[in-house]
Amino acid sequence: MTTTTPARTTTRMAALVTEIRSVVDRGLAPDLTSYLVGERLAPHLGAADLLTAEQQEGDPERYRQHILHAEHDGSFSVVALVWLPGQETCIHDHVSWCVAGVHQGEESERRYRLAPGPDAARLVATEDVVNAQGEVCGFAPPGDIHKVRNSCTGTAISIHVYGADVSRLGTSIRRVYTLPVD
């Protein structure tokens, strides 16, 4: 993944950040926070004025993360992930609750659970999900192990909101899994 630093914020993105802040400031449980943030994000997905042209640029080598906002107190961040056809993440989990909404294109997600084994743990695929433009999903650790990829023939862009300061951490990924997969 390549990362860009925050650039100009559009008027629509600034309004979305205000809506997210009003949810996060309530101090609710992570799963409820992610649900409510997802409700705020969904109406903005697909809007032509949500992102600048620079915030929609991909990288031919790997998916690109554009940091759109990091709250001053570290309570949440908003990023755009831009995926060219076939680009994907490793199998990973997250440092905090997360909401992801598809702004453009389509993304495939494979979800996993960690299963004990006689000699070592392994990953078991539990669900395959295809998220189209406008769809939102949210989750909170534990149980957030997954892999995401651009499954369409064009550029896919998703907006992610994390309950952590991605500008400081560099990523929302807590752990990369290299265990055997069933």
Side-chain angles (χ1 to χ4, degrees):
M1 169 181 59
T2 58
T3 301
T4 64
T5 55
R8 181 178 70 81
T9 298
T10 66
T11 301
R12 181 180 286 272
M13 181 56 66
L16 175 58
V17 166
T18 299
E19 293 175 44
I20 294 167
R21 185 180 297 123
S22 72
V23 171
V24 173
D25 285 352
R26 293 170 64 186
L28 302 170
D31 56 342
L32 182 54
T33 298
S34 65
Y35 175 79
L36 294 172
V37 167
E39 285 187 331
R40 299 329 185 263
L41 174 60
H44 298 279
L45 296 171
D49 60 344
L50 183 62
L51 301 173
T52 66
E54 299 101 16
Q55 294 164 344
Q56 299 176 62
E57 291 176 356
D59 180 324
E61 299 298 318
R62 60 193 60 84
Y63 70 97
R64 177 174 278 171
Q65 172 181 264
H66 295 277
I67 299 173
L68 307 174
H69 176 80
E71 191 71 349
H72 65 89
D73 65 0
S75 60
F76 72 91
S77 301
V78 182
V79 304
L81 296 184
V82 180
W83 318 74
L84 299 181
Q87 291 180 334
E88 63 185 15
T89 67
C90 53
I91 300 172
H92 65 281
D93 63 8
H94 295 271
V95 297
S96 68
W97 59 266
C98 174
V99 174
V102 179
H103 180 62
Q104 174 184 310
E106 183 177 276
E107 295 176 356
S108 294
E109 177 186 16
R110 175 163 281 176
R111 298 174 183 170
Y112 300 89
R113 71 175 171 82
L114 194 56
D119 298 320
R122 66 188 193 293
L123 293 172
V124 176
T126 60
E127 187 175 17
D128 287 311
V129 178
V130 176
N131 296 303
Q133 190 275 317
E135 294 185 316
V136 175
C137 63
F139 50 82
D144 61 322
I145 304 169
H146 68 160
K147 178 178 188 171
V148 180
R149 76 182 206 31
N150 177 351
S151 56
C152 64
T153 58
T155 299
I157 301 173
S158 49
I159 307 299
H160 296 241
V161 184
Y162 300 108
D165 186 347
V166 173
S167 69
R168 185 178 56 79
L169 299 174
T171 181
S172 69
I173 295 174
R174 178 174 68 109
R175 179 174 38 209
V176 171
Y177 291 84
T178 57
L179 299 169
V181 176
D182 287 348

